[in-house]
């Protein structure tokens, strides 16, 4: 028990976690030699009730960067990631993937997740619904590791050694609180379920990693661990699309920030040059006067960004 006047956020966090925790979010500078991995053009999608949930959404995603997505809940963030992952039918638009292995451009529109994988696209997706879409609650951690690789099996018996080793590695590195790898994931806390899911997707060594609210429900120490993992992927050249709800984190972690309002892109801004209040206005569809020349035109790439910030 402490007096509020005699402590601060750092002191409270250290007591909650039981040891000293660094509360600063690192943002390494992106490698200037970027490749455009994804180019989204005029994405339009209808919801289950026939109303438009995405309208003419355009942007580019580059290797070695974290592109944040901000918006009021229900502004189309979930549908955007699911559309790219092949889980939503699109009314219009293209999703162009520039394959770094062979240089070919693939259109991912209306392809299933399996078809996307058969094209050689290494795309990982951490969905908002962990147990509904990401993991199978009644299966243990090892079996959930196998969900990404079971189709590779050609014999009667499954190879469980590699998934088991991966499960143990994730438990150890992400500090997953579980009795063992044979524990059904539904028995784990929400935070530990999230660690298992994020660990599995990152272990797939994706070229594009999409994460929707990956720290929701996590304690503060685990949250900063996830931020560190996202930065590691960025430094390895992965293109990261990160949907978050904490504006302070989005402004501190991301290299560019795409702001959505009502299924449309309000603008793409540099988090280093905007305030939380200005992002809040963009989330309501209002472009602040100061940002009218700093907001990246919808669908513009780095050339557009350099022109506006030059």
């Amino acid at each position: 028990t402490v007096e509020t006047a005699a402590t601060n956020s750092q002191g409270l966090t250290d007591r909650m976690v039981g040891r000293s925790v660094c509360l600063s979010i690192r943002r390494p500078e992106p490698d200037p030699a970027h490749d455009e991995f994804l180019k989204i053009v005029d994405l339009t999608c209808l919801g289950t009730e026939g109303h438009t949930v995405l309208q003419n959404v355009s942007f580019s995603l580059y290797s070695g960067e974290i592109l944040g997505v901000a918006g009021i809940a229900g502004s189309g963030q979930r549908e955007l990631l699911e559309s790219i992952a092949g889980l939503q039918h699109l009314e219009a638009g293209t999703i162009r993937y520039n394959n770094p292995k062979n240089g070919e451009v693939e259109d991912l529109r209306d392809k299933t997740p399996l078809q996307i994988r058969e094209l050689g696209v290494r795309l990982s997706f951490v969905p908002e619904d962990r147990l509904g879409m990401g993991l199978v609650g009644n299966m243990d951690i090892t079996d959930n590791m196998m969900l990404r690789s079971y189709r590779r099996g050609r014999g009667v018996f499954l190879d469980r050694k590699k998934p088991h080793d991966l499960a143990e590695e994730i438990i150890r590195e992400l500090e997953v609180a579980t009795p063992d790898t044979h524990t059904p994931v539904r028995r784990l806390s929400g935070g530990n379920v999230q660690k298992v899911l994020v660990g599995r997707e990152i272990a797939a060594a994706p070229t594009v990693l999409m994460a929707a609210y990956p720290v929701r429900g996590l304690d503060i120490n685990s949250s900063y661990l996830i931020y560190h993992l996202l930065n590691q992927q960025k430094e390895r050249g992965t293109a990261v699309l990160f949907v978050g709800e904490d504006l302070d984190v989005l402004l501190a972690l991301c290299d560019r920030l795409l702001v959505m309002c009502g299924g449309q892109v309000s603008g793409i801004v540099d988090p280093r040059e905007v305030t939380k209040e200005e992002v809040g206005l963009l989330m309501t569809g209002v472009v602040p006067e100061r940002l009218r020349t700093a907001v990246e035109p919808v669908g513009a790439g780095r050339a557009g960004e350099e022109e506006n910030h030059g």
Side-chain angles (χ1 to χ4, degrees):
T1 303
V2 296
E3 294 290 336
T4 55
T7 189
N8 53 31
S9 299
Q10 183 69 56
L12 290 175
T13 302
D14 293 348
R15 287 181 170 86
M16 290 164 61
V17 177
R19 55 187 168 85
S20 180
V21 177
C22 177
L23 293 182
S24 62
I25 298 178
R26 191 170 61 94
R27 177 166 48 199
E29 286 300 315
D31 188 338
H34 284 296
D35 294 319
E36 186 183 56
F37 277 176
L38 277 180
K39 186 174 183 62
I40 311 299
V41 180
D42 294 333
L43 221 60
T44 300
C45 176
L46 298 182
T48 55
E49 299 178 358
H51 62 281
T52 302
V53 291
L54 291 177
Q55 185 173 357
N56 300 326
V57 173
S58 301
F59 64 92
S60 294
L61 181 62
Y62 297 87
S63 63
E65 77 161 354
I66 298 178
L67 174 62
V69 180
I72 298 169
S75 294
Q77 302 95 314
R78 177 177 61 83
E79 290 82 4
L80 173 61
L81 267 60
E82 290 182 0
S83 296
I84 299 172
L87 301 173
Q88 289 274 1
H89 171 71
L90 296 176
E91 296 298 314
T94 58
I95 305 171
R96 298 172 188 159
Y97 173 75
N98 297 305
N99 196 323
K101 282 191 173 181
N102 53 28
E104 295 183 358
V105 179
E106 306 283 358
D107 188 0
L108 307 186
R109 177 182 169 181
D110 288 337
K111 286 185 170 58
T112 67
L114 181 58
Q115 289 173 326
I116 291 174
R117 187 178 305 180
E118 288 175 344
L119 285 172
V121 179
R122 290 189 296 160
L123 187 150
S124 288
F125 178 36
V126 180
E128 185 177 353
D129 184 358
R130 302 163 186 170
L131 290 178
M133 293 178 62
L135 301 169
V136 179
N138 288 328
M139 289 167 51
D140 65 22
I141 300 176
T142 299
D143 286 345
N144 273 285
M145 295 299 110
M146 297 173 68
L147 291 178
R148 265 193 161 271
S149 59
Y150 77 96
R151 289 181 180 270
R152 300 174 193 160
R154 292 292 182 270
V156 177
F157 301 101
L158 294 173
D159 177 14
R160 298 176 60 87
K161 186 179 186 307
K162 289 183 179 179
H164 176 74
D165 292 345
L166 175 59
E168 289 192 331
E169 180 182 352
I170 289 174
I171 290 171
R172 181 178 62 256
E173 293 189 0
L174 300 188
E175 301 175 355
V176 178
T178 178
D180 51 47
T181 60
H182 303 298
T183 302
V185 295
R186 62 180 170 78
R187 295 184 182 176
L188 305 180
S189 69
N192 287 298
V193 169
Q194 186 73 332
K195 290 180 185 179
V196 171
L197 178 56
V198 172
R200 186 192 70 189
E201 294 302 302
I202 287 178
T207 50
V208 176
L209 173 63
M210 301 190 299
Y213 313 107
V215 301
R216 179 178 287 174
L218 295 186
D219 61 83
I220 191 166
N221 189 43
S222 299
S223 297
Y224 279 78
L225 176 61
I226 297 299
Y227 302 147
H228 175 65
L229 291 175
L230 295 179
N231 271 325
Q232 279 186 336
Q233 291 301 300
K234 166 186 169 179
E235 292 177 313
R236 291 172 183 168
T238 300
V240 180
L241 188 60
F242 170 63
V243 178
E245 53 195 350
D246 188 327
L247 288 182
D248 291 317
V249 171
L250 286 167
L251 292 174
L253 178 69
C254 301
D255 300 294
R256 292 187 299 143
L257 187 60
L258 181 150
V259 186
M260 298 190 68
C261 174
Q264 297 178 297
V265 177
S266 299
I268 302 175
V269 296
D270 187 338
R272 303 167 186 82
E273 298 182 2
V274 297
T275 65
K276 187 163 59 173
E277 291 73 18
E278 289 169 335
V279 174
L281 286 173
L282 285 171
M283 289 165 61
T284 64
V286 178
V287 180
E289 184 67 31
R290 191 183 72 85
L291 296 182
R292 293 194 183 277
T293 58
V295 171
E296 180 180 316
V298 174
R302 290 195 177 275
E305 184 177 0
E306 290 168 2
E307 179 182 345
N308 287 318
H309 292 294

